Structure formats: structure tokens, C-alpha cells
Amino acid sequence: MTMQATPSLDLAELTLRRHCPLVTCGQSVLRGERLATASAPGAGDIHTPIAGVVTHVDAYRIRVEARGHDEVEPVDLAALSGKALYDKLLELGVDLPPADAVDTLIVNGVDAEQGVLTRASLLASTPEPLEHGLKTIHALYKPRLTTLAVLKGASIPDYDIQLTEIDHNYPAGLDPLVALAVTGIEAPDHTEVIGLETVYHLGRVMRTGLPVLETPVTVDGKLAIVPVGMPVSRVLGEAGIVPAEGDRIVLGGFLRGEAAALPTQGVDRSAVAVTLVRNPAPVAEDVACVGCGECVRRCPARLDPSMITSYAEFGLYDKAAQAHVEVCFECGLCGFFCLAHRPMLQYIRLAKSELARARSREEVAL
Amino acid sequence: MKPLNPLVLTVSVPPHKHYGSSVRGLMTAILMAMVPAAAMAVNTFGVDALRVMALSAGVAVLTEAACNRLMDRSQSVGDLHALTVGLAFAFLLPASAPWWLVAFGSAASIGVGKMMFGPLGGSPFCAPLVGWAICRVSWPGQMDLDASMLTMNLTYPLGQLKAFGWTSVQIQDTKSLLFGRQLGGLGAVQVAGVLIGGLYLVIKHHVSSIIPVGFLAGVATAAWLLHLINPVVYPPAMFHLLTGSVMFGAFFLATDGPSSPNRQIPMLLFGLLAGVMTIVIRVWGAYPDGVPFAILLANLFTPVLERIRPRPFGAR
Ligand code: SF4
Ligand code: SF4
């Protein structure tokens, strides 16, 4: 059940994460032209899925309004290999972790969260770009072992690759737990986990020579291949879902996904699903921990989320670091079970990003 | 800037769905679990029990409301925690307790046992026990279960055990003890009712079974060992399990979230500690029923027990 036909867009909005804009307002751009470049290692650049005019640029988004149909020239990738290929792929918008010293390469084909079936559907329905991507990724990383993690009992076409079966229960499909399932070691060295959608991006880029312009998402229980930057309200609209005033549009799953700020916010490469939540009342409340201990008993990383989030709440990020906040793999279970409905994952992500900021400041100072 | 689309979305952080539990939900469950024992208390002690429970619960709620006002905090009585604390405090009192004692103790439970430490979750002690301890130390006469209930034709087995020894305890059979034919805290001694409520909480996963299991195992093991050493002086384990506030303490007091540890092994040790301390106080201490002080003591050990923790995922 694939919604393949790419709808034509009159507006695209590209979400910037750690990217620097390369265009200015009023500039005309071709389809596939680079709009922003990544400032973090392993993150790909960002390109426009439509030809048009840049109408808005800020630190978080770039908007393009459609005009014309001209497209950039495809890049000949066949001639490239190794580091040159890796750099080119990042430039073309594939998010690939640094390619040196990888012993075990795991392609994660498991949709961790309930209600998301992007990876499972990709595996079942689009072997062609995936095969291409798997071949390239193997050549790029030269690992001793490449394995594809799939749900236990899933029937998929033959990808000529070793399979690792993953348990159905959340959070078994999250990257750190998949790495544990494959290697038998918690947080193993020289091991990389790459999401299946990235392999799909890679396969498409290798075949077309164009940057990543489309991404797979789950909408209304079906796989849809949509342009990167397609407004989330349009994505829903194509599936016949009309958001109403006060609804939430979630990019990703219910436990970890991010709510879109505007109906025009574009789908980005990391969004594995676009879901409408009809209930306007947010789950989280600004309350203190009531000490029930539920989160501590539920945390699969064996952390004390109540302490970590209380530290983050009061800005004591170094204490959060001592409590091993970095170990947290953001499964979101602590917030799902929090008796007081605290915004647990948000506090954890806040602490992590503040610690990362402090680290980069230190690096600059050295 | 002209909005591109007039639709306004709700923006919120994950999770976008919740398990469904809440403080109010938990308190409702606990209150419901106290109903059987409360009904048995009224059946045994008559309207006096009703008077004490209503007064204590009412004063607790009013105290919390007043504290919130005075401390300029948002109102929290809606989460039903104060009501639960008030009722739990009443469960520990003799049905004959004078009104001023009930009111003072209930207010102290909330004021000193909870509000002083900030919003719910801050207190290192189980709130109703704080009020109970203050009253027990300040007005031993009025809190003395035996002396205060001379009009009843029931006896206080733990008092008799403490004063005259095991051989002179009048009520020894399991059935009478189970069905509240003994003096003690008006709700706490309705053992059958408390047990029904406690099992309901555990089976419905409102509270974890670890602390109650640890507590009861601690009481049973310590009592069994002593009974083994000298069966003439020390009563069998079943007697200890079914008297005083053991059942109530195991399911309703020791399980208080903020004052007990959060992880499985510390929770078990916490329960065992409180259980063993109960027998130690009953046998060698000054108080006939060791449960309240045993739990308060175990509360003090919570931070130490919390230090027993596993290695975080992948940390070396
Ligand atoms: S999100 Fe919460 S429950 Fe999940 S690993 Fe992190 S701290 Fe633990
Ligand atoms: S689940 Fe929420 S209320 Fe309970 S201990 Fe954790 S943070 Fe505190």
C-alpha cells in the first residue's frame, strides 16, 4: 500500500537542525539546489524539492515558493569511492555517521514505536533502492559484519545480507538495544547503527545522482514517499485527514515524536511518521516529581529519570551528567509512565543539549 | 507577517499519549481500598469511628488548603492526597480519641509531615505517621489504646503481650484477629478489610507488591525465629501479622512513594527492615505496636538504600 505519486508542491519548508543557510530571501533556486549545509558531523545538507524562490530564511527554517520546473544536473557518483564518495553523499543530503573504524554495521529495519511501519513497509515493498543502498553502505564502511535488524517473524524479500531478529516489545527496536541484540555488548565500540530510511535515501541518490528529495513516512497506517519539506498539513491532507484548530501534528511516534509548530512545517528526513493527535490537551504539566518511582522502575537504561529531570529542571546539568544522562537513549517511557505527568524527555533532551553546548564551548576555549 | 495558514496547532513535548495514571487516580484507588476497613471499623466501634475518620479527613484537607493559601502555592487538595493522609491517620487512632487530638494530629500530619517539605513528593516521611508520632509522644494517655477504650468489651492483644506476656493474651485465635475483634487503631485492626484493600491495590498494580512482601516477610521471619527459640514467651508469627497495624503498615504506609526507595532491591530491603524493626520494637521496645516507629525509622534509611543501584546501560 504505497502512495507513490509525488504530489506537486506550491510551497516547501525545510527544517534546519544544525545547518547554516546558504541562500537568501528572494533568491531563485533550482529543484535539488542546496539550501543549507550541515554543521554537525555525519549530518547531510539540505536541498529544495521544488524549483522556486526563497521567501523566508531564519535559524530554524527555509521556505521556498514554487516557480518553474528547472532541475539541477545529476552528479556522476560511479566514479567516486571512499572518502570522496562519503563527502559527496553528505553534500547530497544523506545522513551518514563518520566512516572510519566501523567493525559492525547494523542497518536498523525495525520501526521501534507502535503505529509506525515505515521501515517494515520499505523492506517489503521497495527492495530496489534498498539493495542499492546496502551495497553502497557496505563498500563505504568496509565493516567485518553488516547485518539487517528486522522484526522477529517478519517475511521480507531476500536482501543477501545477514539478518538479526529483534523482539516486538518496545523499546527493543531502538538503536542501542538493537546494537546490544547484535553484539551482545551494551554500547559496543566500533559499531554503527544506521536507520533503514537512510539506506533508502542513499539508494535513491546513488541511482538518480540527485540529492535526497523524498523521504518515507507512515501516514494513516500506510507508507507514503513524500518530498522532504512537504508541509505536514498537506501530507495529512493527501491521506484525507484534515487537521482542526488546536490539534497536534506529530512528526515521529507518540513517545518520542516532535509536534509541528505550524501546519506548514515541512517533513524532514528524520521524521518516520506524520500523525494527527486530536486531543488538544498536552500530556505534560509543569509539576514537581511526586516520588512515585515509576520511571526508575521502567527505565530500560537503568537510570534514575526522576533525579535526572529534577536536576535539569533546576539547571544543575553537571549533576545530571554525573547521573549518566548521556546513557539515556530517549525511549520516552519515563514520561509515558510519569504519575505526575512531568515532561521527562524534554528535560532530558534539555540537559543533553546544554551539556553538548558546554562541551563545544570548552573545545573552542582550548 | 501574514499567517500562511490561519490554522493554529497545539505544540507540546512528547509523549503525545500517556499511560493514564495520575496522582488523583492513585489516591482514588487508595481511598477505595480503605473503604472495606472503614466499614468494618464503623461496624465494630460504631459512630465513634465515623466521627474520628470524618474529622481527621476534613481537618487534613482544610489544613492543606490553608497551607497552600499561606504559602502562596497553587491549590493541591484536588489530587486527594490530603484526604488520603487524613483517613490514614484516623485509621491509626483509637475510636475514643478526643476531637482535639484528632484535629491536632491530622493537621500535624499534613503541616509537618507534608507541606513543610514543599509540594507532594518532598517529604522524607510517611505523612500520617508524623502526626501519629507527635501525638503518641505528646499525649500518651489519650493515645493509649487500652486505657482509652475501657468501655468496650474488646481487649488490646499487643498491650497485654507487652504488659503481661504471651500467656495472658486473651485473643489469640486467627479468626477473631482477622475480623477486627481486637482493640487497636480503629481502621488498622480491621485486618480482613485492610487485606482486601491492600490486595486490590497490588493486583491492580496501583502499588508495587515488593514493599508489602518485604515488610510481611520481615515481620514473619523475625517473629518465627523468636517463637522457635522460646514458644512460651514469644507468640507465633501469625499473631504478629494479624495484630496492630502490620497489615495496614505493609500495604498503605510503607508503600508511600516519596519516603520509600524506588528500585526493586532497595524496596525489598526497606520492607524487610521495617518488618524486622516492628518485631524488635514489639519485643524489646517501649511501644506495644512497633509498626509506626519501624516505618519512620525505615524512612530514614531510604537515602542510604537508594545508593544500591545498578550500573547504567553501557556505562563502564
Ligand atoms: S527516556 Fe527515560 S526511560 Fe527512556 S532511557 Fe531515557 S531516562 Fe530511561
Ligand atoms: S514517574 Fe514522575 S512522579 Fe514518579 S518518580 Fe518519576 S518523575 Fe517522579
Side-chain angles (χ1 to χ4, degrees), chain B residues 28 33 41 120 152 165 198 206 307:
Chain B
T28 309
L120 175 60
M152 297 282 300
H206 291 297
R307 298 196 71 89

Side-chain angles (χ1 to χ4, degrees), chain A residues 288-296 305-307 309-310 334 337-342 344, chain B residues 262:
Chain A
C289 164
V290 300
C292 69
E294 197 60 34
C295 57
V296 182
S306 75
M307 281 319 280
T309 56
S310 300
C334 46
F337 286 107
C338 178
L339 191 69
H341 298 205
R342 283 161 59 76
M344 305 293 283
Chain B
N262 294 332

Side-chain angles (χ1 to χ4, degrees), chain A residues 213-242:
Chain A
L213 300 177
E214 290 166 341
T215 195
V217 289
T218 300
V219 187
D220 195 24
K222 292 188 211 59
L223 175 68
I225 308 286
V226 302
V228 174
M230 180 169 178
V232 285
S233 56
R234 278 238 19 218
V235 174
L236 291 175
E238 295 286 328
I241 302 170
V242 184

